[in-house]
Amino acid sequence: MSTLPAALRMVEVSGTEALWLLEGSTLGRLVYPQRDLTVIRPGHHTWEYGRLVVRTPAPAAAVPFDVTYHVDEIRTATGTGWSVTVAGRADMITDPDEAAHYRRTLSGWTHGPHDTLLRLHPRTVTGFRFARAEA
């Protein structure tokens, strides 16, 4: 006797709940176009003063003005969890004191000489919860 897979559903959350989920996490992915490709780089982040600060191993010169940052927590055994996407304008953090602060407080990876700090000014914040469907 085989068991049917559990029915799952995806439920949109409010912007406030999406931000709450984002603030409770530290790891995500920076997504941006580069020529004809979509580039995805890991990042550590913190939410401060209405802005998302991200440390990522992307070449600073390659990161465009508009970016997307994606964070999720999905339990593979149950298919439940959540996902949040933030899109907006990105500014590089170039002030030496501010950069030193974030390099101390945000762990990160380097890829060759690439260790970029950016501040994302959210234009949109969307989120979903993944749950088991009610029987």
Side-chain angles (χ1 to χ4, degrees):
M1 178 174 141
S2 68
T3 22
L4 295 173
L8 301 172
R9 62 189 175 102
M10 192 166 102
V11 179
E12 190 166 5
V13 300
S14 70
T16 302
E17 184 175 357
L19 287 175
W20 180 78
L21 292 166
L22 180 72
E23 287 182 82
S25 65
T26 60
L27 182 62
R29 290 168 293 288
L30 181 69
V31 182
Y32 60 92
Q34 186 177 36
R35 293 184 288 279
D36 293 336
L37 301 172
T38 298
V39 177
I40 302 171
R41 293 290 179 263
H44 280 93
H45 65 270
T46 186
W47 181 261
E48 292 184 344
Y49 309 110
R51 306 291 181 258
L52 186 66
V53 176
V54 178
R55 183 176 182 185
T56 184
V63 177
F65 188 66
D66 285 311
V67 298
T68 300
Y69 192 73
H70 182 79
V71 180
D72 58 39
E73 181 182 299
I74 301 172
R75 294 164 207 84
T76 55
T78 62
T80 59
W82 55 269
S83 171
V84 172
T85 303
V86 180
R89 179 174 51 86
D91 297 328
M92 295 303 141
I93 296 174
T94 57
D95 176 76
D97 293 332
E98 189 178 12
H101 164 73
Y102 287 119
R103 285 200 169 88
R104 280 190 310 273
T105 58
L106 286 174
S107 60
W109 303 270
T110 59
H111 177 64
H114 307 302
D115 184 10
T116 300
L117 290 164
L118 60 90
R119 183 176 295 103
L120 200 157
H121 304 265
R123 185 176 53 253
T124 61
V125 178
T126 57
F128 294 91
R129 284 200 180 269
F130 308 115
R132 291 185 172 273
E134 302 299 324

